[in-house]
Amino acid sequence: MKKVIFSLLFFIALHVSAQSLDDQNRLRLAQAFAAANEFERAGMLYEQLSAVDSVNYVYFDGLRRCYIQLKNYDAAIRLSERRVRMFPSDVATQTSLAGIFHIAGKDTRADSLWDAILASAPKNLNIYRAVAATQSEQRLFEKTIATYLRGRKESGDRFAFANELAYLYSVLMEYTSATREYLLMLQQNEHQLEFIQSRLSLVTEKKEGLAAATRAVEEASAKSQATVLLRLLQWLYSEGKKYEAAFDVTKQIELRVQSNGTEIFSFAERMFREKEFALAMRAYQFVLQANNTMPFIPNAKFGYARCVEELSAVDSSSLPVVSIRSTPSEVQLNPRGAISLYASLAKEFPYTEISGQALYRIGLIYYNQMYDIDAAQHYFDTVLVISSAAALVPTVLSSLGDIYIAQGKLDNATQKFSAILFSQSATPLQKNQAQFRLAEVQYFKHNFDSTLQLLQPLIVDLKKDETNDALLLQYFIAENKEGNSDALEKYASAELYVRQKKYSEATTLLNDILEHSSDAPLCDDALLKKAELAIRMHRYNDALLSYQKLLSDFPKSILRDKAQFRIAEVHHFYLNTKAEAVRAYEDILSTYPFSLFADEARKRIRILRGDAL
């Protein structure tokens, strides 16, 4: 008897196991059909599964989705109502049923059901959240907002759903309301400032959104003493390029928090990064004149000197007339004024990193602005013996390499760039740059095979920043080395002359290429380079002639759109012939609509015409 019972149980177990395995296979097949948008076939399988197990939520949900996709809303409603009768406390199914009513065009029944769900637990925020989620899925944003506001009122929690409401108001372009919700979040937790800024950036990217957000925060900060509101206002002013207003707010923050100048210094640093050098200089000056004891006084003095350096590189006629005074004497906005500040820094903080930075900047001014190579080399060499400036060594070595190139001492340049490769202070980026510069030196020396060999490590790793430049130089050499080596050597020598600021000599070589090697593939490059040199020598009409010759003589050149864009720029920025500039930019759009210059050309046309951007 026991053996009979055991056999019967074993048979039943096998039958149940086989049936379960069959259901699992049917479910996987139904899910595959649904993923392939074959909802009729998926629905048939889900119906079979539901007939066997009507309680299973996975089967119910799959069948409901199939009915909805097939627009068989009546079947979806019947299925959902049966599920609600089985599980009357299942809020998720009830809210989705209301959503189906809405899809089916039965809005009265949908609203009635949503209201009944909310009335069943008026203080349960999760109920409001579930209903709102379904309404939002149906893009009923105004109803969703009303649901959230009702939940906030019923619960008595004035901070409830602030994040959700802010997003919905943003979608509906109600930017003032969106900002006020974010301000509620900020009032609840000041540490959410960065998160709120990131969310508000979706609002401030639109001009009207930025204006509305700024007004809302201005109103809030006028009624509150919360410093975090001033920080948000400062950020909004900066987003809107209202840097003067941002500076005023920064002063208010400093007055409240008494940070010993840290707030102003941070603002000055940020303005320097934004290239607002005149304002950054005033902010640094504000810090220095406060006579405080903050630890980064040397950095503030260095930042002030950097601003003077940057402003000295600008045409003085374009600078605003300002009275600039730095303890103890007035400072001139010219290279000599910047050098004087840096020299004072090096003397005040000897054998420090600041001293090394200051001496390095003096060298750069002599090299870049005054082209006094000997003086520049002297200061660069001085930095190398300051032990505390070890981090600067790769940068200084690179600058010395440039100087040796300018002097024509290519072997010395090779030594400096090679030293970077073995420097413990050099970053991977600096080593990659040095590798490329070594290849350039061999290029200038007409050792093209060596150039290609040195470029190879940069080309293999496509993630390196110098890869694009390396590929361009490799292609340029490969295209011209065989059969046009004479033209390639002259072009390389012309580029060396450019590095040495010998523009006339470079132009002579380029003309020689165009005259005697007119079939060389690099002739269009030679014309482009010749035009760029003419601009540097203020020969703008000569530049236009070279650009026009490129367009007329090289119909298949890949540089044609660039030449056309440069023609527009010459008219725009140098000759100030706006009508011709507009026509030249328009030629970009009509002749080269897919050019990388097309978007910028379109923008400049609007600027020249005075259109709103």
Side-chain angles (χ1 to χ4, degrees):
M1 184 65 180
K2 289 182 179 179
K3 290 183 178 180
V4 173
I5 295 174
F6 179 79
S7 299
L8 182 60
L9 290 173
F10 181 72
F11 174 78
I12 293 172
L14 283 176
H15 177 72
V16 170
S17 178
Q19 185 179 20
S20 176
L21 184 61
D22 185 55
D23 289 346
Q24 290 177 14
N25 291 333
R26 190 177 287 119
L27 173 61
R28 282 195 289 268
L29 187 59
Q31 291 170 335
F33 281 139
N37 295 330
E38 296 188 30
F39 297 111
E40 287 189 12
R41 299 177 72 177
M44 291 173 59
L45 291 170
Y46 277 124
E47 285 175 342
Q48 294 172 16
L49 290 166
S50 295
V52 175
D53 185 358
S54 61
V55 177
N56 190 303
Y57 182 82
V58 175
Y59 302 162
F60 156 74
D61 186 54
L63 182 56
R64 177 182 59 183
R65 292 177 185 277
C66 288
Y67 285 152
I68 291 173
Q69 290 294 332
L70 294 169
K71 300 188 185 328
N72 190 353
Y73 302 126
D74 289 340
I77 290 171
R78 288 193 299 271
L79 179 68
S80 299
E81 287 178 332
R82 183 167 65 248
R83 179 81 181 182
V84 169
R85 287 194 294 271
M86 294 171 61
F87 303 96
S89 61
D90 185 352
V91 175
T93 301
Q94 293 180 54
T95 56
S96 66
L97 173 58
I100 299 171
F101 281 139
H102 168 72
I103 298 173
K106 302 177 182 181
D107 290 340
T108 302
R109 294 188 66 182
D111 291 339
S112 177
L113 181 53
W114 276 324
D115 285 339
I117 295 170
L118 295 175
S120 66
K123 295 187 181 299
N124 189 332
L125 294 181
N126 289 327
I127 298 295
Y128 289 96
R129 190 170 280 110
V131 170
T134 306
Q135 293 170 332
S136 183
E137 287 176 4
Q138 307 300 327
R139 303 190 67 78
L140 299 172
F141 297 131
E142 292 184 353
K143 283 184 183 295
T144 308
I145 289 173
T147 297
Y148 281 134
L149 292 176
R150 177 176 171 180
R152 176 180 287 178
K153 181 180 179 180
E154 292 291 340
S155 68
D157 183 355
R158 67 191 188 93
F159 298 111
F161 310 121
N163 190 26
E164 293 87 345
L165 284 165
Y167 171 75
L168 290 167
Y169 283 131
S170 299
V171 170
L172 295 176
M173 294 187 289
E174 296 181 23
Y175 301 123
T176 300
S177 296
T179 304
R180 287 172 179 162
E181 293 298 327
Y182 285 128
L183 289 176
L184 274 177
M185 294 174 62
L186 196 59
Q187 183 180 347
Q188 188 179 29
N189 184 357
E190 291 187 358
H191 297 296
Q192 294 192 89
L193 177 60
E194 289 188 9
F195 170 75
I196 289 167
Q197 286 174 342
S198 68
R199 297 302 297 267
L200 267 177
S201 62
L202 301 175
V203 172
T204 58
E205 66 183 10
K206 299 179 178 63
K207 184 178 180 180
E208 59 274 21
L210 177 60
T214 303
R215 285 195 302 269
V217 177
E218 285 173 339
E219 293 172 2
S221 62
K223 299 175 183 177
S224 170
Q225 292 296 310
T227 303
V228 70
L229 291 177
L230 289 179
R231 295 192 187 282
L232 183 58
L233 186 58
Q234 177 201 58
W235 175 76
L236 286 167
Y237 282 146
S238 297
E239 288 290 290
K241 310 297 182 185
K242 296 180 179 179
Y243 296 123
E244 285 288 348
F247 189 24
D248 290 338
V249 172
T250 305
K251 293 175 186 176
Q252 294 179 50
I253 296 172
E254 173 62 32
L255 191 63
R256 289 189 186 180
V257 302
Q258 295 291 308
S259 72
N260 197 25
T262 301
E263 294 288 341
I264 305 294
F265 176 76
S266 298
F267 176 79
E269 296 277 276
R270 188 160 61 252
M271 288 302 98
F272 186 89
R273 291 192 296 271
E274 294 286 341
K275 301 186 184 303
E276 293 291 326
F277 301 119
L279 183 56
M281 183 170 61
R282 285 169 48 207
Y284 286 125
Q285 186 180 27
F286 187 95
V287 171
L288 295 172
Q289 290 179 337
N291 294 319
N292 49 50
T293 57
M294 64 180 184
F296 41 80
I297 284 290
N299 302 83
K301 290 185 175 183
F302 182 78
Y304 183 85
R306 287 285 286 116
C307 291
V308 173
E309 177 190 348
E310 293 293 339
L311 291 171
S312 72
V314 180
D315 182 2
S316 59
S317 63
S318 66
L319 289 173
V321 179
V322 293
S323 176
I324 302 165
R325 180 175 293 276
S326 174
T327 305
S329 60
E330 289 189 356
V331 174
Q332 295 177 329
L333 282 181
N334 56 39
R336 293 290 180 186
I339 289 173
S340 176
L341 286 173
Y342 286 132
S344 296
L345 268 173
K347 184 178 180 180
E348 185 177 0
F349 306 101
Y351 311 112
T352 64
E353 183 179 354
I354 286 290
S355 174
Q357 290 276 7
L359 293 171
Y360 175 67
R361 299 308 307 181
I362 292 175
L364 283 182
I365 293 172
Y366 274 120
Y367 181 54
N368 293 326
Q369 295 191 44
M370 304 169 73
Y371 204 59
D372 186 337
I373 294 178
D374 293 335
Q377 185 174 353
H378 165 74
Y379 280 100
F380 291 151
D381 286 335
T382 303
V383 177
L384 291 179
V385 300
I386 300 177
S387 59
S388 57
L392 275 174
V393 167
T395 302
V396 175
L397 289 173
S398 181
S399 296
L400 283 169
D402 290 337
I403 283 180
Y404 284 128
I405 289 175
Q407 293 174 329
K409 300 176 181 179
L410 299 183
D411 290 337
N412 292 38
T414 296
Q415 291 176 359
K416 297 302 179 185
F417 294 131
S418 297
I420 296 174
L421 297 180
F422 298 100
S423 171
Q424 294 182 349
S425 302
T427 65
L429 174 60
Q430 288 172 322
K431 291 184 177 182
N432 292 337
Q433 291 170 341
Q435 182 78 17
F436 182 75
R437 304 305 297 278
L438 285 169
E440 280 190 319
V441 171
Q442 293 303 311
Y443 169 70
F444 293 145
K445 295 173 73 172
H446 305 162
N447 296 331
F448 301 124
D449 289 335
S450 297
T451 303
L452 295 175
Q453 185 177 359
L454 286 166
L455 291 175
Q456 198 59 36
L458 300 174
I459 293 170
V460 171
D461 188 353
L462 296 178
K463 295 180 181 178
K464 293 180 178 178
D465 293 343
E466 286 69 34
T467 297
N468 189 52
D469 290 336
L471 286 169
L472 289 174
L473 183 55
Q474 180 196 48
Y475 175 77
F476 184 75
I477 293 172
E479 185 183 34
N480 293 281
K481 187 163 72 79
E482 301 299 331
N484 296 283
S485 59
D486 184 58
L488 181 59
E489 289 179 2
K490 290 176 182 177
Y491 191 88
S493 296
E495 290 207 278
L496 178 58
Y497 278 137
V498 172
R499 295 289 180 88
Q500 297 170 343
K501 300 187 184 297
K502 297 177 180 179
Y503 302 140
S504 296
E505 291 88 337
T507 301
T508 298
L509 278 177
L510 295 171
N511 284 332
D512 188 270
I513 293 171
L514 294 169
E515 182 178 353
H516 298 103
S517 304
S518 56
D519 294 333
L522 57 73
C523 281
D524 54 345
D525 294 276
L527 277 169
L528 195 68
K529 181 71 70 177
K530 180 182 173 183
E532 292 171 355
L533 294 177
I535 291 174
R536 294 191 189 189
M537 294 185 285
H538 308 291
R539 299 172 183 171
Y540 305 123
N541 289 322
D542 289 347
L544 289 176
L545 289 173
S546 294
Y547 289 135
Q548 292 289 0
K549 184 173 177 61
L550 192 156
L551 293 175
S552 61
D553 292 1
F554 297 91
K556 296 183 179 180
S557 172
I558 62 173
L559 301 174
R560 290 172 59 82
D561 60 336
K562 187 174 184 178
Q564 182 63 48
F565 189 75
R566 294 288 184 258
I567 289 172
E569 287 192 315
V570 170
H571 285 295
H572 186 176
F573 297 110
Y574 300 108
L575 298 178
N576 199 29
T577 47
K578 294 185 177 181
E580 287 82 354
V582 169
R583 283 194 291 271
Y585 284 132
E586 287 176 339
D587 284 343
I588 293 283
L589 303 180
S590 59
T591 310
Y592 314 101
F594 302 109
S595 168
L596 295 175
F597 299 101
D599 287 342
E600 185 63 23
R602 192 174 291 109
K603 177 182 176 181
R604 291 183 181 181
I605 289 170
R606 293 200 297 269
I607 291 173
L608 288 168
R609 289 176 174 171
D611 299 338
L613 292 179

